[in-house]
Amino acid sequence: MEQREIKEFIDDKVREIKEAVGSHKAIVALSGGVDSSTCALLAHRAIGNMLKAIFIEDGLMREGEAKRVLKTFSNLGIKVEVIEAQDEFFETLKGKFDPEEKRKAFRDIFYRVLGREVKRSGASHLIQGTIKADIIETERGVKTQHNILEQIGIDPERYGFSVVEPLKDLFKHEVREVARELGLPREVYQRMPFPGPGLAARIIGEVTPDRVDLVRRATKIVEDVLGPLSPFQAFAVLLNDLGTGIVEGKRRLGKIIIIRSVESKDAMTAEPTCVPWEMLLYLSKKITTEIPEVVRVAFEITSKPPSTIEYV
Ligand code: XMP
């Protein structure tokens, strides 16, 4: 988008949010990513302190996320309340293995917690960072995106609020341009996308606190090591099978981690990142040393399509 278009877009959306919300309150659930952060800034411009910003701690976020979000928004003069809900999320995901079942369970608990917070805050509207790719892929049946409701015939009123989606006509790279213009810091507008269902989208099989903790630690290593290559997205995935390993000279079954790193513009298609071999060897050593339960590390080399970017 040209600079002029970005400014016009911001003015239009600020006006639309003002008109939609009127003199009521609105709520935005921040995830730490660029989409929800951009929505929060647009809504804050539109309705100021009538916006309530929350961060739902679902236990599925990357390391240090709540703290990071609080700091970023406090620097921008926006107060964020953390809602501790991890136990409810884990309870809902317990015993679920099927990817679609897991996604639907996540969506349901997410909107139940959110609905409760909307009621508690007296807000009439939810400002949500749905983007164009989310809608297209859910409509095409690629997956059940956690934040798609109306487009698939679910009335958000069932959760107790109306939804405003200021970014629904933009792709990710356009959202980044708007975010930058709004004054979000570089580490937010350049941040890798992160899926709504969080680390649960990178766990094959059951999502338990221990399995999330393992994939969280591996993700931090992958993001730190591959960060200098500025991939579109890079992360770790935990498989459900065990592989044979050798620990202290003895055979031991251990976890298998997949490293996924992709290049993309709009997340509709993607190619694996050409990661230098030395970096991959270093990553494998680092992961198996720092997370000894892992005995195998593999690098994924599939494009989208036929694969999706996330595993679930
Ligand atoms: P896939 O895995 O479908 O992902 O190739 C495409 C892009 O979307 C992100 N993603 C999500 N984002 N809610 C989101 O907000 C979700 O449920 C979700 N699932 C996937 C993914 O990280 C990638 O950038």
Side-chain angles (χ1 to χ4, degrees):
M1 284 198 282
E2 281 175 27
Q3 197 64 17
R4 181 184 49 82
E5 286 176 291
I6 299 174
K7 284 190 191 311
E8 270 172 24
F9 176 87
I10 293 174
D11 290 345
D12 286 352
K13 294 299 156 183
V14 167
R15 198 172 44 245
E16 275 174 38
I17 296 171
K18 251 187 212 157
E19 278 167 16
V21 180
S23 56
H24 299 106
K25 278 191 190 158
I27 197 165
V28 66
L30 292 163
S31 69
V34 63
D35 306 338
S36 61
S37 301
T38 304
C39 275
L41 282 196
L42 284 172
H44 193 255
R45 267 200 195 182
I47 59 170
N49 289 338
M50 294 302 268
L51 175 75
K52 176 169 177 149
I54 60 169
F55 176 87
I56 297 177
E57 179 50 271
D58 57 12
L60 304 168
M61 296 288 183
R62 282 171 287 187
E63 210 173 284
E65 201 64 24
K67 245 192 184 157
R68 195 174 301 131
V69 170
L70 289 187
K71 187 158 169 260
T72 303
F73 281 88
S74 130
N75 289 343
L76 293 162
I78 301 176
K79 201 167 141 266
V80 181
E81 186 184 343
V82 177
I83 311 298
E84 299 287 349
Q86 52 269 59
D87 293 351
E88 289 172 82
F89 279 82
F90 282 121
E91 191 50 44
T92 305
L93 290 166
K94 201 163 143 187
K96 299 201 166 55
F97 288 78
D98 177 74
E100 262 307 274
E101 206 191 326
K102 278 163 38 178
R103 276 189 167 270
K104 285 186 174 144
F106 178 90
R107 183 179 65 195
D108 199 50
I109 182 67
F110 181 83
Y111 282 103
R112 262 194 284 140
V113 171
L114 193 52
R116 200 167 65 209
E117 291 310 314
V118 174
K119 255 198 206 121
R120 201 167 65 88
S121 68
S124 58
H125 289 75
L126 168 70
I127 315 287
Q128 181 164 265
T130 317
I131 63 172
K132 201 167 182 170
D134 300 343
I135 297 174
I136 296 174
E137 298 221 314
T138 299
E139 282 175 345
R140 282 190 193 156
V142 175
K143 61 167 175 265
T144 302
Q145 196 90 9
H146 85 286
N147 51 357
I148 302 294
L149 296 172
E150 280 171 297
Q151 290 83 355
I152 54 166
I154 297 180
D155 181 359
E157 296 285 345
R158 116 176 179 193
Y159 295 102
F161 46 78
S162 308
V163 177
V164 182
E165 295 173 318
L167 309 178
K168 69 177 188 318
D169 296 320
L170 301 188
F171 282 111
K172 187 66 101 189
H173 60 283
E174 296 166 322
V175 179
R176 292 194 203 284
E177 292 171 354
V178 172
R180 184 180 177 166
E181 178 64 29
L182 284 167
L184 272 165
R186 187 185 164 80
E187 62 269 21
V188 176
Y189 72 73
Q190 281 301 358
R191 200 144 189 233
M192 288 180 203
F194 188 68
L199 297 171
R202 297 159 181 187
I203 292 179
I204 306 291
E206 194 180 14
V207 179
T208 64
D210 284 353
R211 303 190 81 217
V212 171
D213 180 60
L214 190 144
V215 96
R216 178 181 289 125
R217 284 186 285 148
T219 298
K220 166 102 176 72
I221 296 173
V222 174
E223 283 195 0
D224 287 351
V225 174
L226 298 188
L229 299 179
S230 304
F232 179 78
Q233 258 176 299
F235 53 88
V237 177
L238 175 62
L239 296 191
N240 203 26
D241 285 332
L242 297 179
T244 306
I246 307 168
V247 177
E248 288 164 5
K250 294 226 165 60
R251 170 190 164 98
R252 197 178 76 192
L253 290 178
K255 309 268 194 308
I256 308 171
I257 284 285
I258 304 283
I259 298 164
R260 178 98 164 120
S261 182
V262 295
E263 303 309 318
S264 177
K265 188 172 177 203
D266 53 18
M268 300 288 292
T269 58
E271 294 297 328
T273 308
C274 291
V275 180
W277 186 238
E278 296 68 33
M279 249 179 177
L280 289 174
L281 295 181
Y282 174 73
L283 259 178
S284 162
K285 263 247 146 28
K286 197 167 164 67
I287 292 173
T288 48
T289 308
E290 294 183 14
I291 315 176
E293 304 99 290
V294 177
V295 297
R296 270 163 204 267
V297 175
F299 180 60
E300 153 108 45
I301 50 169
T302 326
S303 304
K304 173 181 180 175
S307 293
T308 55
I309 295 176
E310 306 290 342
Y311 263 53
V312 167

